[in-house]
Amino acid sequence: RPSNSPKSTMMISLSQSRIITQPLSKAVRSRHTVAAATAATRSKKSRATPLAAPLTLTQQSFQNHATSRAFLVLAASSAATLAAYQAAGDHGDDGNLFWKIARCSARNLGAEPVMLSPKTEPATGILFPRLCNGMSLAGCGVRIKWRFVKVYAVGTYLDPLAMSVVKDDEKELKKALLDPNYPRTIRIVMNRNLSIDKYPSAIIEALEPRMAGQDLESLDEFKKMNPPVDLVQGAEMEMTIRGDTLLYKNAVGGLGQIKSIVFTRALCDVYYGEDAVSPSHLEDVIKGVKSL
C-alpha cells in the first residue's frame, strides 16, 4: 500500500509484467487475494479508470534479474503476504529479498521457515547440500587411496519415495543400493589436486573387473566425457543413475550420457557393493536412508 494513497493496494499484473496501483473497494482491500484484486481492477476498465504510475520502488527493485524473479513469486502470493513483505522493511538488500519473502509467506501459514543446513563430511570437512537433482542426501564419506591419501569426498542422493519401501529392511536396502533402477546421484568433490588422467583411470580400474568383459566400450565413453583439464581441490562431478542410463556432469559443467545397464550396475557395485571404494560412505548411506 503506497504511503501517499492509504486506500490503494499494491498488485502485480502478470499480463502487463509491471507493478501497478489501483484504488479498490474496502471489501476487496480487506481479505481478497491478488487474483481477486486483479479481477476487480479489470471490472473497472469499463469506467475507463486510468492506471496509476508505477511505484518508485520498481525503478530500483527491477534493476537486476534476481529481484524481478522475486516479484514474480509475489504475484502468486496473497494480498496479506504482500502486506507482510512491505512490513519486512528495506527492499534495497537484494541478498535478503528471497529470505524476506519466505519469512512473510511462512508467517501467513502460521509457521517459521526451516533452512536445511549442509552436511559436513567429517574426514575432509567438505560440505554436501541436502538436495541435489531433486533428490535428498542419504550419506557421505571419503575415498582414501594408499591408506592415508584422502582423494575426494563422495555423497549419495536418493529418492525418498523410492527408498521408502525398503528402508526398514537392511537386507532389502542393500539390494536396492546395488540396483540401478533405484535412481540416485553420486556427487564427488575433490579434496586435493589431481591429474585428469588419474581420476577417470581410477574409476575405470574399479569398473572394468565388475563388467565381466561386457560393454567395455562404455569405459572409453566415460573417459572422453572428462575434458583434458586437471582437477583442483573443490572440483565437483555428478553421476546420476537411472536404470541403464548414466547422466554425467564433469568438473567444468559439461554434460554427457552413457546407455548401458552393465555400466550402471557396475558403478553401483563400486560404491555400494561388499568391496565398496569408500566404506565410510556406504555405512553413512545405509544409516541415512532410514531417516529420509
Side-chain angles (χ1 to χ4, degrees):
R1 179 177 298 175
S3 59
N4 62 352
S5 180
K7 291 187 178 182
S8 297
T9 298
M10 184 173 77
M11 301 183 302
I12 297 177
S13 172
L14 291 180
S15 61
Q16 299 183 26
S17 300
R18 60 192 179 95
I19 292 182
I20 60 174
T21 59
Q22 181 67 21
L24 300 175
S25 68
K26 184 175 181 180
V28 173
R29 290 201 313 272
S30 61
R31 303 183 70 117
H32 274 52
T33 61
V34 172
T38 304
T41 301
R42 290 176 178 171
S43 70
K44 293 185 179 183
K45 286 186 178 180
S46 60
R47 287 180 277 175
T49 303
L51 297 178
L55 296 175
T56 305
L57 170 64
T58 61
Q59 297 174 4
Q60 297 178 350
S61 297
F62 277 91
Q63 287 180 353
N64 59 59
H65 179 63
T67 306
S68 62
R69 286 174 55 198
F71 276 91
L72 289 177
V73 173
L74 284 178
S77 302
S78 64
T81 300
L82 290 176
Y85 168 69
Q86 288 177 291
D90 179 25
H91 300 288
D93 185 359
D94 291 333
N96 292 328
L97 185 57
F98 289 101
W99 174 241
K100 288 179 180 179
I101 295 171
R103 288 181 61 191
C104 294
S105 299
R107 285 171 180 169
N108 286 335
L109 295 174
E112 283 296 323
V114 176
M115 302 297 289
L116 297 176
S117 60
K119 180 173 182 176
T120 303
E121 197 289 309
T124 60
I126 291 173
L127 299 179
F128 283 84
R130 295 288 176 173
L131 299 174
C132 180
N133 298 332
M135 290 181 274
S136 301
L137 179 65
C140 56
V142 62
R143 171 70 164 112
I144 297 177
K145 194 76 172 176
W146 302 299
R147 295 187 179 182
F148 63 90
V149 179
K150 301 171 184 177
V151 184
Y152 60 78
V154 54
T156 290
Y157 295 81
L158 297 166
D159 180 352
L161 184 60
M163 302 305 295
S164 62
V165 296
V166 297
K167 69 178 186 178
D168 294 326
D169 185 330
E170 187 166 320
K171 184 177 179 180
E172 292 300 317
L173 172 57
K174 289 181 178 180
K175 287 183 180 179
L177 290 174
L178 291 171
D179 186 350
N181 290 304
Y182 286 84
R184 83 227 30 214
T185 290
I186 302 169
R187 185 170 180 264
I188 292 174
V189 184
M190 299 304 300
N191 188 53
R192 62 192 300 272
N193 296 347
L194 189 69
S195 164
I196 190 58
D197 292 329
K198 292 182 179 179
Y199 164 71
S201 296
I203 293 182
I204 290 172
E205 180 183 333
L207 284 170
E208 188 170 4
R210 292 171 164 90
M211 295 175 68
Q214 303 178 43
D215 285 353
L216 295 181
E217 61 274 10
S218 61
L219 298 177
D220 292 330
E221 292 180 48
F222 177 77
K223 189 172 184 178
K224 290 176 182 177
M225 289 193 297
N226 293 277
V229 179
D230 288 347
L231 300 176
V232 297
Q233 184 178 15
E236 302 176 6
M237 285 73 67
E238 292 177 7
M239 297 182 284
T240 299
I241 299 172
R242 294 183 181 274
D244 66 348
T245 303
L246 171 74
L247 300 175
Y248 182 68
K249 185 170 79 171
N250 61 35
V252 297
L255 302 176
Q257 176 178 298
I258 293 176
K259 293 277 289 186
S260 169
I261 190 64
V262 175
F263 185 96
T264 56
R265 196 179 298 279
L267 189 59
C268 288
D269 191 68
V270 167
Y271 287 99
Y272 312 103
E274 292 184 3
D275 191 23
V277 295
S278 174
S280 63
H281 164 250
L282 178 58
E283 181 181 352
D284 198 46
V285 168
I286 292 174
K287 182 173 64 175
V289 168
K290 298 176 181 179
S291 59
L292 285 179

